[in-house]
PDB file of all heavy atoms in Angstrom:
ATOM      1  N   TRP A   6      18.740  17.761   6.069  1.00 98.00           N
ATOM      2  CA  TRP A   6      18.594  18.102   7.487  1.00 98.00           C
ATOM      3  C   TRP A   6      18.334  16.854   8.330  1.00 98.00           C
ATOM      4  O   TRP A   6      18.943  16.670   9.392  1.00 98.00           O
ATOM      5  CB  TRP A   6      17.451  19.103   7.673  1.00 98.00           C
ATOM      6  CG  TRP A   6      17.166  19.397   9.114  1.00 98.00           C
ATOM      7  CD1 TRP A   6      17.835  20.258   9.930  1.00 98.00           C
ATOM      8  CD2 TRP A   6      16.140  18.792   9.918  1.00 98.00           C
ATOM      9  NE1 TRP A   6      17.296  20.237  11.188  1.00 98.00           N
ATOM     10  CE2 TRP A   6      16.256  19.349  11.204  1.00 98.00           C
ATOM     11  CE3 TRP A   6      15.147  17.851   9.668  1.00 98.00           C
ATOM     12  CZ2 TRP A   6      15.399  18.990  12.248  1.00 98.00           C
ATOM     13  CZ3 TRP A   6      14.302  17.484  10.702  1.00 98.00           C
ATOM     14  CH2 TRP A   6      14.429  18.044  11.974  1.00 98.00           C
ATOM     15  N   ALA A   7      17.437  15.976   7.859  1.00 97.00           N
ATOM     16  CA  ALA A   7      17.116  14.759   8.601  1.00 97.00           C
ATOM     17  C   ALA A   7      18.347  13.872   8.766  1.00 97.00           C
ATOM     18  O   ALA A   7      18.595  13.326   9.849  1.00 97.00           O
ATOM     19  CB  ALA A   7      15.997  13.993   7.901  1.00 97.00           C
ATOM     20  N   ARG A   8      19.112  13.726   7.704  1.00 96.00           N
ATOM     21  CA  ARG A   8      20.316  12.902   7.793  1.00 96.00           C
ATOM     22  C   ARG A   8      21.327  13.515   8.757  1.00 96.00           C
ATOM     23  O   ARG A   8      21.993  12.807   9.517  1.00 96.00           O
ATOM     24  CB  ARG A   8      20.921  12.731   6.404  1.00 96.00           C
ATOM     25  CG  ARG A   8      20.117  11.791   5.509  1.00 96.00           C
ATOM     26  CD  ARG A   8      20.645  11.754   4.084  1.00 96.00           C
ATOM     27  NE  ARG A   8      19.982  10.698   3.302  1.00 96.00           N
ATOM     28  CZ  ARG A   8      20.086  10.576   1.993  1.00 96.00           C
ATOM     29  NH1 ARG A   8      20.827  11.445   1.304  1.00 96.00           N
ATOM     30  NH2 ARG A   8      19.466   9.602   1.351  1.00 96.00           N
ATOM     31  N   GLY A   9      21.424  14.842   8.733  1.00 97.00           N
ATOM     32  CA  GLY A   9      22.335  15.510   9.645  1.00 97.00           C
ATOM     33  C   GLY A   9      21.937  15.351  11.100  1.00 97.00           C
ATOM     34  O   GLY A   9      22.793  15.355  11.992  1.00 97.00           O
ATOM     35  N   GLU A  10      20.631  15.204  11.352  1.00 97.00           N
ATOM     36  CA  GLU A  10      20.118  15.011  12.699  1.00 97.00           C
ATOM     37  C   GLU A  10      19.965  13.535  13.058  1.00 97.00           C
ATOM     38  O   GLU A  10      19.437  13.206  14.128  1.00 97.00           O
ATOM     39  CB  GLU A  10      18.755  15.700  12.846  1.00 97.00           C
ATOM     40  CG  GLU A  10      18.792  17.212  12.665  1.00 97.00           C
ATOM     41  CD  GLU A  10      19.588  17.910  13.748  1.00 97.00           C
ATOM     42  OE1 GLU A  10      19.511  17.468  14.917  1.00 97.00           O
ATOM     43  OE2 GLU A  10      20.291  18.899  13.442  1.00 97.00           O
ATOM     44  N   ASN A  11      20.431  12.643  12.159  1.00 96.00           N
ATOM     45  CA  ASN A  11      20.339  11.189  12.377  1.00 96.00           C
ATOM     46  C   ASN A  11      18.892  10.749  12.585  1.00 96.00           C
ATOM     47  O   ASN A  11      18.586   9.940  13.464  1.00 96.00           O
ATOM     48  CB  ASN A  11      21.203  10.764  13.568  1.00 96.00           C
ATOM     49  CG  ASN A  11      21.448   9.261  13.593  1.00 96.00           C
ATOM     50  OD1 ASN A  11      21.490   8.602  12.555  1.00 96.00           O
ATOM     51  ND2 ASN A  11      21.608   8.711  14.786  1.00 96.00           N
ATOM     52  N   LEU A  12      18.018  11.269  11.732  1.00 96.00           N
ATOM     53  CA  LEU A  12      16.591  10.960  11.825  1.00 96.00           C
ATOM     54  C   LEU A  12      16.152  10.121  10.629  1.00 96.00           C
ATOM     55  O   LEU A  12      16.442  10.463   9.482  1.00 96.00           O
ATOM     56  CB  LEU A  12      15.769  12.253  11.845  1.00 96.00           C
ATOM     57  CG  LEU A  12      15.742  13.048  13.140  1.00 96.00           C
ATOM     58  CD1 LEU A  12      15.173  14.435  12.894  1.00 96.00           C
ATOM     59  CD2 LEU A  12      14.905  12.314  14.198  1.00 96.00           C
ATOM     60  N   ASP A  13      15.448   9.044  10.910  1.00 94.00           N
ATOM     61  CA  ASP A  13      14.801   8.284   9.843  1.00 94.00           C
ATOM     62  C   ASP A  13      13.666   9.140   9.280  1.00 94.00           C
ATOM     63  O   ASP A  13      12.916   9.773  10.035  1.00 94.00           O
ATOM     64  CB  ASP A  13      14.252   6.972  10.413  1.00 94.00           C
ATOM     65  CG  ASP A  13      13.643   6.092   9.339  1.00 94.00           C
ATOM     66  OD1 ASP A  13      14.319   5.839   8.335  1.00 94.00           O
ATOM     67  OD2 ASP A  13      12.481   5.662   9.507  1.00 94.00           O
ATOM     68  N   ILE A  14      13.545   9.199   7.965  1.00 94.00           N
ATOM     69  CA  ILE A  14      12.536  10.061   7.348  1.00 94.00           C
ATOM     70  C   ILE A  14      11.717   9.300   6.322  1.00 94.00           C
ATOM     71  O   ILE A  14      12.243   8.462   5.580  1.00 94.00           O
ATOM     72  CB  ILE A  14      13.191  11.306   6.690  1.00 94.00           C
ATOM     73  CG1 ILE A  14      12.125  12.243   6.110  1.00 94.00           C
ATOM     74  CG2 ILE A  14      14.218  10.910   5.634  1.00 94.00           C
ATOM     75  CD1 ILE A  14      12.660  13.597   5.679  1.00 94.00           C
ATOM     76  N   VAL A  15      10.427   9.583   6.309  1.00 94.00           N
ATOM     77  CA  VAL A  15       9.491   9.029   5.334  1.00 94.00           C
ATOM     78  C   VAL A  15       8.867  10.190   4.568  1.00 94.00           C
ATOM     79  O   VAL A  15       8.384  11.154   5.172  1.00 94.00           O
ATOM     80  CB  VAL A  15       8.378   8.217   6.028  1.00 94.00           C
ATOM     81  CG1 VAL A  15       7.284   7.865   5.028  1.00 94.00           C
ATOM     82  CG2 VAL A  15       8.935   6.967   6.658  1.00 94.00           C
ATOM     83  N   PHE A  16       8.897  10.110   3.247  1.00 95.00           N
ATOM     84  CA  PHE A  16       8.245  11.118   2.409  1.00 95.00           C
ATOM     85  C   PHE A  16       6.917  10.576   1.897  1.00 95.00           C
ATOM     86  O   PHE A  16       6.837   9.442   1.418  1.00 95.00           O
ATOM     87  CB  PHE A  16       9.135  11.485   1.217  1.00 95.00           C
ATOM     88  CG  PHE A  16      10.338  12.293   1.574  1.00 95.00           C
ATOM     89  CD1 PHE A  16      11.569  11.678   1.765  1.00 95.00           C
ATOM     90  CD2 PHE A  16      10.248  13.667   1.736  1.00 95.00           C
ATOM     91  CE1 PHE A  16      12.693  12.422   2.093  1.00 95.00           C
ATOM     92  CE2 PHE A  16      11.363  14.419   2.064  1.00 95.00           C
ATOM     93  CZ  PHE A  16      12.594  13.800   2.241  1.00 95.00           C
ATOM     94  N   ASN A  17       5.887  11.393   2.005  1.00 94.00           N
ATOM     95  CA  ASN A  17       4.582  11.054   1.466  1.00 94.00           C
ATOM     96  C   ASN A  17       4.209  12.042   0.369  1.00 94.00           C
ATOM     97  O   ASN A  17       4.520  13.235   0.459  1.00 94.00           O
ATOM     98  CB  ASN A  17       3.510  11.085   2.557  1.00 94.00           C
ATOM     99  CG  ASN A  17       3.681   9.969   3.552  1.00 94.00           C
ATOM    100  OD1 ASN A  17       3.742   8.805   3.177  1.00 94.00           O
ATOM    101  ND2 ASN A  17       3.790  10.313   4.834  1.00 94.00           N
ATOM    102  N   MET A  18       3.550  11.545  -0.649  1.00 94.00           N
ATOM    103  CA  MET A  18       3.062  12.403  -1.731  1.00 94.00           C
ATOM    104  C   MET A  18       1.657  12.884  -1.381  1.00 94.00           C
ATOM    105  O   MET A  18       0.812  12.106  -0.932  1.00 94.00           O
ATOM    106  CB  MET A  18       3.038  11.606  -3.036  1.00 94.00           C
ATOM    107  CG  MET A  18       2.598  12.395  -4.245  1.00 94.00           C
ATOM    108  SD  MET A  18       2.752  11.382  -5.748  1.00 94.00           S
ATOM    109  CE  MET A  18       1.872  12.415  -6.927  1.00 94.00           C
ATOM    110  N   VAL A  19       1.419  14.175  -1.530  1.00 94.00           N
ATOM    111  CA  VAL A  19       0.115  14.725  -1.189  1.00 94.00           C
ATOM    112  C   VAL A  19      -0.993  13.991  -1.941  1.00 94.00           C
ATOM    113  O   VAL A  19      -0.833  13.616  -3.105  1.00 94.00           O
ATOM    114  CB  VAL A  19       0.066  16.240  -1.489  1.00 94.00           C
ATOM    115  CG1 VAL A  19       0.125  16.511  -2.987  1.00 94.00           C
ATOM    116  CG2 VAL A  19      -1.174  16.874  -0.870  1.00 94.00           C
ATOM    117  N   ARG A  20      -2.090  13.750  -1.282  1.00 92.00           N
ATOM    118  CA  ARG A  20      -3.246  13.140  -1.921  1.00 92.00           C
ATOM    119  C   ARG A  20      -4.504  13.808  -1.378  1.00 92.00           C
ATOM    120  O   ARG A  20      -4.477  14.444  -0.318  1.00 92.00           O
ATOM    121  CB  ARG A  20      -3.284  11.623  -1.699  1.00 92.00           C
ATOM    122  CG  ARG A  20      -3.341  11.184  -0.258  1.00 92.00           C
ATOM    123  CD  ARG A  20      -3.044   9.689  -0.157  1.00 92.00           C
ATOM    124  NE  ARG A  20      -3.337   9.142   1.158  1.00 92.00           N
ATOM    125  CZ  ARG A  20      -2.499   9.176   2.178  1.00 92.00           C
ATOM    126  NH1 ARG A  20      -1.324   9.738   2.053  1.00 92.00           N
ATOM    127  NH2 ARG A  20      -2.847   8.642   3.340  1.00 92.00           N
ATOM    128  N   PHE A  21      -5.593  13.632  -2.080  1.00 90.00           N
ATOM    129  CA  PHE A  21      -6.800  14.379  -1.775  1.00 90.00           C
ATOM    130  C   PHE A  21      -7.959  13.405  -1.611  1.00 90.00           C
ATOM    131  O   PHE A  21      -8.374  12.746  -2.559  1.00 90.00           O
ATOM    132  CB  PHE A  21      -7.069  15.406  -2.875  1.00 90.00           C
ATOM    133  CG  PHE A  21      -5.886  16.313  -3.111  1.00 90.00           C
ATOM    134  CD1 PHE A  21      -4.974  16.037  -4.123  1.00 90.00           C
ATOM    135  CD2 PHE A  21      -5.659  17.400  -2.287  1.00 90.00           C
ATOM    136  CE1 PHE A  21      -3.868  16.842  -4.319  1.00 90.00           C
ATOM    137  CE2 PHE A  21      -4.554  18.209  -2.473  1.00 90.00           C
ATOM    138  CZ  PHE A  21      -3.647  17.935  -3.487  1.00 90.00           C
ATOM    139  N   THR A  22      -8.461  13.321  -0.390  1.00 87.00           N
ATOM    140  CA  THR A  22      -9.531  12.377  -0.075  1.00 87.00           C
ATOM    141  C   THR A  22     -10.363  12.931   1.073  1.00 87.00           C
ATOM    142  O   THR A  22      -9.838  13.189   2.162  1.00 87.00           O
ATOM    143  CB  THR A  22      -8.955  10.998   0.301  1.00 87.00           C
ATOM    144  OG1 THR A  22      -9.947  10.247   1.006  1.00 87.00           O
ATOM    145  CG2 THR A  22      -7.720  11.115   1.181  1.00 87.00           C
ATOM    146  N   ASP A  23     -11.640  13.092   0.856  1.00 84.00           N
ATOM    147  CA  ASP A  23     -12.496  13.641   1.902  1.00 84.00           C
ATOM    148  C   ASP A  23     -12.696  12.693   3.086  1.00 84.00           C
ATOM    149  O   ASP A  23     -12.654  13.144   4.235  1.00 84.00           O
ATOM    150  CB  ASP A  23     -13.844  14.042   1.308  1.00 84.00           C
ATOM    151  CG  ASP A  23     -13.753  15.387   0.588  1.00 84.00           C
ATOM    152  OD1 ASP A  23     -12.837  16.173   0.912  1.00 84.00           O
ATOM    153  OD2 ASP A  23     -14.586  15.648  -0.295  1.00 84.00           O
ATOM    154  N   PRO A  24     -12.931  11.384   2.874  1.00 82.00           N
ATOM    155  CA  PRO A  24     -13.115  10.512   4.034  1.00 82.00           C
ATOM    156  C   PRO A  24     -11.922  10.519   4.997  1.00 82.00           C
ATOM    157  O   PRO A  24     -12.105  10.424   6.207  1.00 82.00           O
ATOM    158  CB  PRO A  24     -13.308   9.132   3.402  1.00 82.00           C
ATOM    159  CG  PRO A  24     -13.872   9.411   2.059  1.00 82.00           C
ATOM    160  CD  PRO A  24     -13.188  10.667   1.607  1.00 82.00           C
ATOM    161  N   MET A  25     -10.707  10.650   4.469  1.00 82.00           N
ATOM    162  CA  MET A  25      -9.505  10.564   5.287  1.00 82.00           C
ATOM    163  C   MET A  25      -8.986  11.938   5.722  1.00 82.00           C
ATOM    164  O   MET A  25      -8.643  12.147   6.886  1.00 82.00           O
ATOM    165  CB  MET A  25      -8.409   9.843   4.494  1.00 82.00           C
ATOM    166  CG  MET A  25      -7.118   9.635   5.267  1.00 82.00           C
ATOM    167  SD  MET A  25      -7.178   8.147   6.246  1.00 82.00           S
ATOM    168  CE  MET A  25      -5.423   7.869   6.512  1.00 82.00           C
ATOM    169  N   LEU A  26      -8.929  12.894   4.802  1.00 84.00           N
ATOM    170  CA  LEU A  26      -8.275  14.169   5.070  1.00 84.00           C
ATOM    171  C   LEU A  26      -9.187  15.384   4.894  1.00 84.00           C
ATOM    172  O   LEU A  26      -8.792  16.498   5.228  1.00 84.00           O
ATOM    173  CB  LEU A  26      -7.054  14.334   4.151  1.00 84.00           C
ATOM    174  CG  LEU A  26      -5.984  13.237   4.269  1.00 84.00           C
ATOM    175  CD1 LEU A  26      -4.957  13.383   3.150  1.00 84.00           C
ATOM    176  CD2 LEU A  26      -5.302  13.290   5.631  1.00 84.00           C
ATOM    177  N   GLY A  27     -10.369  15.166   4.332  1.00 83.00           N
ATOM    178  CA  GLY A  27     -11.304  16.271   4.140  1.00 83.00           C
ATOM    179  C   GLY A  27     -10.764  17.381   3.259  1.00 83.00           C
ATOM    180  O   GLY A  27     -11.116  18.552   3.435  1.00 83.00           O
ATOM    181  N   ASN A  28      -9.919  17.024   2.268  1.00 88.00           N
ATOM    182  CA  ASN A  28      -9.169  18.062   1.550  1.00 88.00           C
ATOM    183  C   ASN A  28      -9.329  18.071   0.033  1.00 88.00           C
ATOM    184  O   ASN A  28      -8.477  18.610  -0.673  1.00 88.00           O
ATOM    185  CB  ASN A  28      -7.686  17.931   1.887  1.00 88.00           C
ATOM    186  CG  ASN A  28      -7.059  16.646   1.328  1.00 88.00           C
ATOM    187  OD1 ASN A  28      -7.757  15.713   0.950  1.00 88.00           O
ATOM    188  ND2 ASN A  28      -5.733  16.620   1.284  1.00 88.00           N
ATOM    189  N   SER A  29     -10.376  17.474  -0.493  1.00 88.00           N
ATOM    190  CA  SER A  29     -10.505  17.420  -1.950  1.00 88.00           C
ATOM    191  C   SER A  29     -10.577  18.808  -2.568  1.00 88.00           C
ATOM    192  O   SER A  29     -10.190  19.005  -3.730  1.00 88.00           O
ATOM    193  CB  SER A  29     -11.743  16.602  -2.348  1.00 88.00           C
ATOM    194  OG  SER A  29     -12.929  17.227  -1.883  1.00 88.00           O
ATOM    195  N   ASP A  30     -11.030  19.799  -1.792  1.00 89.00           N
ATOM    196  CA  ASP A  30     -11.136  21.159  -2.315  1.00 89.00           C
ATOM    197  C   ASP A  30      -9.780  21.855  -2.424  1.00 89.00           C
ATOM    198  O   ASP A  30      -9.703  22.962  -2.976  1.00 89.00           O
ATOM    199  CB  ASP A  30     -12.060  21.981  -1.421  1.00 89.00           C
ATOM    200  CG  ASP A  30     -11.552  22.091   0.007  1.00 89.00           C
ATOM    201  OD1 ASP A  30     -11.014  21.086   0.517  1.00 89.00           O
ATOM    202  OD2 ASP A  30     -11.689  23.164   0.618  1.00 89.00           O
ATOM    203  N   LEU A  31      -8.708  21.216  -1.937  1.00 91.00           N
ATOM    204  CA  LEU A  31      -7.382  21.832  -1.969  1.00 91.00           C
ATOM    205  C   LEU A  31      -6.530  21.362  -3.150  1.00 91.00           C
ATOM    206  O   LEU A  31      -5.386  21.802  -3.301  1.00 91.00           O
ATOM    207  CB  LEU A  31      -6.628  21.519  -0.666  1.00 91.00           C
ATOM    208  CG  LEU A  31      -7.281  22.009   0.628  1.00 91.00           C
ATOM    209  CD1 LEU A  31      -6.443  21.588   1.830  1.00 91.00           C
ATOM    210  CD2 LEU A  31      -7.464  23.512   0.610  1.00 91.00           C
ATOM    211  N   ALA A  32      -7.067  20.475  -3.980  1.00 89.00           N
ATOM    212  CA  ALA A  32      -6.275  19.891  -5.063  1.00 89.00           C
ATOM    213  C   ALA A  32      -5.724  20.957  -6.008  1.00 89.00           C
ATOM    214  O   ALA A  32      -4.557  20.906  -6.410  1.00 89.00           O
ATOM    215  CB  ALA A  32      -7.105  18.867  -5.835  1.00 89.00           C
ATOM    216  N   ASP A  33      -6.527  21.936  -6.366  1.00 90.00           N
ATOM    217  CA  ASP A  33      -6.079  22.944  -7.333  1.00 90.00           C
ATOM    218  C   ASP A  33      -4.895  23.757  -6.815  1.00 90.00           C
ATOM    219  O   ASP A  33      -4.026  24.166  -7.593  1.00 90.00           O
ATOM    220  CB  ASP A  33      -7.235  23.887  -7.693  1.00 90.00           C
ATOM    221  CG  ASP A  33      -8.295  23.211  -8.540  1.00 90.00           C
ATOM    222  OD1 ASP A  33      -8.005  22.147  -9.116  1.00 90.00           O
ATOM    223  OD2 ASP A  33      -9.426  23.742  -8.613  1.00 90.00           O
ATOM    224  N   SER A  34      -4.846  23.995  -5.507  1.00 91.00           N
ATOM    225  CA  SER A  34      -3.793  24.843  -4.956  1.00 91.00           C
ATOM    226  C   SER A  34      -2.570  24.064  -4.480  1.00 91.00           C
ATOM    227  O   SER A  34      -1.487  24.645  -4.348  1.00 91.00           O
ATOM    228  CB  SER A  34      -4.338  25.663  -3.775  1.00 91.00           C
ATOM    229  OG  SER A  34      -4.811  24.802  -2.743  1.00 91.00           O
ATOM    230  N   CYS A  35      -2.703  22.760  -4.246  1.00 93.00           N
ATOM    231  CA  CYS A  35      -1.615  21.996  -3.624  1.00 93.00           C
ATOM    232  C   CYS A  35      -0.987  20.922  -4.515  1.00 93.00           C
ATOM    233  O   CYS A  35       0.137  20.489  -4.255  1.00 93.00           O
ATOM    234  CB  CYS A  35      -2.111  21.319  -2.345  1.00 93.00           C
ATOM    235  SG  CYS A  35      -2.544  22.463  -1.022  1.00 93.00           S
ATOM    236  N   LYS A  36      -1.689  20.470  -5.544  1.00 93.00           N
ATOM    237  CA  LYS A  36      -1.183  19.356  -6.339  1.00 93.00           C
ATOM    238  C   LYS A  36      -0.133  19.817  -7.339  1.00 93.00           C
ATOM    239  O   LYS A  36      -0.386  20.725  -8.134  1.00 93.00           O
ATOM    240  CB  LYS A  36      -2.329  18.682  -7.090  1.00 93.00           C
ATOM    241  CG  LYS A  36      -1.885  17.460  -7.892  1.00 93.00           C
ATOM    242  CD  LYS A  36      -3.052  16.814  -8.617  1.00 93.00           C
ATOM    243  CE  LYS A  36      -2.588  15.612  -9.428  1.00 93.00           C
ATOM    244  NZ  LYS A  36      -3.702  14.967 -10.162  1.00 93.00           N
ATOM    245  N   PRO A  37       1.061  19.200  -7.322  1.00 93.00           N
ATOM    246  CA  PRO A  37       2.063  19.526  -8.342  1.00 93.00           C
ATOM    247  C   PRO A  37       1.577  19.089  -9.724  1.00 93.00           C
ATOM    248  O   PRO A  37       0.997  18.006  -9.875  1.00 93.00           O
ATOM    249  CB  PRO A  37       3.285  18.703  -7.913  1.00 93.00           C
ATOM    250  CG  PRO A  37       3.068  18.403  -6.472  1.00 93.00           C
ATOM    251  CD  PRO A  37       1.580  18.269  -6.317  1.00 93.00           C
ATOM    252  N   VAL A  38       1.810  19.909 -10.722  1.00 92.00           N
ATOM    253  CA  VAL A  38       1.406  19.586 -12.087  1.00 92.00           C
ATOM    254  C   VAL A  38       2.554  19.906 -13.038  1.00 92.00           C
ATOM    255  O   VAL A  38       3.460  20.686 -12.718  1.00 92.00           O
ATOM    256  CB  VAL A  38       0.137  20.367 -12.508  1.00 92.00           C
ATOM    257  CG1 VAL A  38      -1.060  19.948 -11.680  1.00 92.00           C
ATOM    258  CG2 VAL A  38       0.360  21.878 -12.389  1.00 92.00           C
ATOM    259  N   GLY A  39       2.515  19.291 -14.212  1.00 93.00           N
ATOM    260  CA  GLY A  39       3.502  19.589 -15.245  1.00 93.00           C
ATOM    261  C   GLY A  39       4.915  19.279 -14.796  1.00 93.00           C
ATOM    262  O   GLY A  39       5.227  18.175 -14.335  1.00 93.00           O
ATOM    263  N   ALA A  40       5.795  20.271 -14.892  1.00 96.00           N
ATOM    264  CA  ALA A  40       7.201  20.091 -14.535  1.00 96.00           C
ATOM    265  C   ALA A  40       7.370  19.738 -13.062  1.00 96.00           C
ATOM    266  O   ALA A  40       8.266  18.972 -12.692  1.00 96.00           O
ATOM    267  CB  ALA A  40       7.987  21.362 -14.867  1.00 96.00           C
ATOM    268  N   GLU A  41       6.519  20.280 -12.206  1.00 96.00           N
ATOM    269  CA  GLU A  41       6.593  19.963 -10.775  1.00 96.00           C
ATOM    270  C   GLU A  41       6.307  18.481 -10.530  1.00 96.00           C
ATOM    271  O   GLU A  41       6.958  17.841  -9.694  1.00 96.00           O
ATOM    272  CB  GLU A  41       5.595  20.801  -9.994  1.00 96.00           C
ATOM    273  CG  GLU A  41       5.982  22.259  -9.831  1.00 96.00           C
ATOM    274  CD  GLU A  41       5.016  23.001  -8.947  1.00 96.00           C
ATOM    275  OE1 GLU A  41       3.850  22.540  -8.797  1.00 96.00           O
ATOM    276  OE2 GLU A  41       5.401  24.041  -8.394  1.00 96.00           O
ATOM    277  N   GLU A  42       5.351  17.943 -11.253  1.00 95.00           N
ATOM    278  CA  GLU A  42       5.003  16.536 -11.100  1.00 95.00           C
ATOM    279  C   GLU A  42       6.169  15.645 -11.511  1.00 95.00           C
ATOM    280  O   GLU A  42       6.486  14.661 -10.830  1.00 95.00           O
ATOM    281  CB  GLU A  42       3.771  16.224 -11.939  1.00 95.00           C
ATOM    282  CG  GLU A  42       3.071  14.934 -11.571  1.00 95.00           C
ATOM    283  CD  GLU A  42       1.771  14.771 -12.319  1.00 95.00           C
ATOM    284  OE1 GLU A  42       1.718  15.103 -13.526  1.00 95.00           O
ATOM    285  OE2 GLU A  42       0.806  14.295 -11.715  1.00 95.00           O
ATOM    286  N   GLU A  43       6.848  15.985 -12.605  1.00 96.00           N
ATOM    287  CA  GLU A  43       8.010  15.214 -13.036  1.00 96.00           C
ATOM    288  C   GLU A  43       9.155  15.368 -12.030  1.00 96.00           C
ATOM    289  O   GLU A  43       9.889  14.406 -11.767  1.00 96.00           O
ATOM    290  CB  GLU A  43       8.455  15.674 -14.424  1.00 96.00           C
ATOM    291  CG  GLU A  43       9.723  14.993 -14.929  1.00 96.00           C
ATOM    292  CD  GLU A  43       9.619  13.480 -15.019  1.00 96.00           C
ATOM    293  OE1 GLU A  43       8.481  12.942 -15.077  1.00 96.00           O
ATOM    294  OE2 GLU A  43      10.681  12.820 -15.043  1.00 96.00           O
ATOM    295  N   GLN A  44       9.309  16.543 -11.474  1.00 97.00           N
ATOM    296  CA  GLN A  44      10.320  16.765 -10.438  1.00 97.00           C
ATOM    297  C   GLN A  44      10.060  15.848  -9.240  1.00 97.00           C
ATOM    298  O   GLN A  44      10.989  15.269  -8.669  1.00 97.00           O
ATOM    299  CB  GLN A  44      10.292  18.230 -10.000  1.00 97.00           C
ATOM    300  CG  GLN A  44      11.293  18.585  -8.903  1.00 97.00           C
ATOM    301  CD  GLN A  44      11.154  20.044  -8.465  1.00 97.00           C
ATOM    302  OE1 GLN A  44      10.519  20.855  -9.151  1.00 97.00           O
ATOM    303  NE2 GLN A  44      11.742  20.383  -7.339  1.00 97.00           N
ATOM    304  N   MET A  45       8.792  15.707  -8.874  1.00 96.00           N
ATOM    305  CA  MET A  45       8.437  14.836  -7.762  1.00 96.00           C
ATOM    306  C   MET A  45       8.723  13.375  -8.104  1.00 96.00           C
ATOM    307  O   MET A  45       9.258  12.622  -7.282  1.00 96.00           O
ATOM    308  CB  MET A  45       6.955  15.016  -7.403  1.00 96.00           C
ATOM    309  CG  MET A  45       6.503  14.163  -6.229  1.00 96.00           C
ATOM    310  SD  MET A  45       4.773  14.449  -5.786  1.00 96.00           S
ATOM    311  CE  MET A  45       4.882  16.038  -4.978  1.00 96.00           C
ATOM    312  N   ARG A  46       8.394  12.970  -9.331  1.00 96.00           N
ATOM    313  CA  ARG A  46       8.660  11.586  -9.741  1.00 96.00           C
ATOM    314  C   ARG A  46      10.156  11.280  -9.652  1.00 96.00           C
ATOM    315  O   ARG A  46      10.549  10.220  -9.147  1.00 96.00           O
ATOM    316  CB  ARG A  46       8.155  11.350 -11.161  1.00 96.00           C
ATOM    317  CG  ARG A  46       8.230   9.878 -11.603  1.00 96.00           C
ATOM    318  CD  ARG A  46       7.765   9.707 -13.039  1.00 96.00           C
ATOM    319  NE  ARG A  46       8.777  10.129 -13.989  1.00 96.00           N
ATOM    320  CZ  ARG A  46       9.747   9.331 -14.454  1.00 96.00           C
ATOM    321  NH1 ARG A  46       9.834   8.068 -14.043  1.00 96.00           N
ATOM    322  NH2 ARG A  46      10.619   9.788 -15.325  1.00 96.00           N
TER     323      ARG A  46
END
């Protein structure tokens, strides 16, 4: 979609840090694991 709209795109990998995002409690529900993690790699 981004390429079709001629948009520069940056992908970020989710991370969990309270000082920056206050989200360490979301790791269990949001972090890719197993096959999903390899898919992301």
Side-chain angles (χ1 to χ4, degrees):
W6 175 81
R8 287 174 172 169
E10 297 295 322
N11 196 30
L12 284 167
D13 184 52
I14 183 169
V15 170
F16 288 97
N17 291 306
M18 182 175 169
V19 68
R20 60 193 191 275
F21 305 96
T22 161
D23 281 337
M25 183 86 160
L26 302 170
N28 68 344
S29 63
D30 61 321
L31 300 178
D33 289 343
S34 60
C35 293
K36 183 180 179 181
V38 295
E41 286 185 338
E42 197 173 40
E43 176 59 21
Q44 179 183 345
M45 181 178 286
R46 187 182 77 87

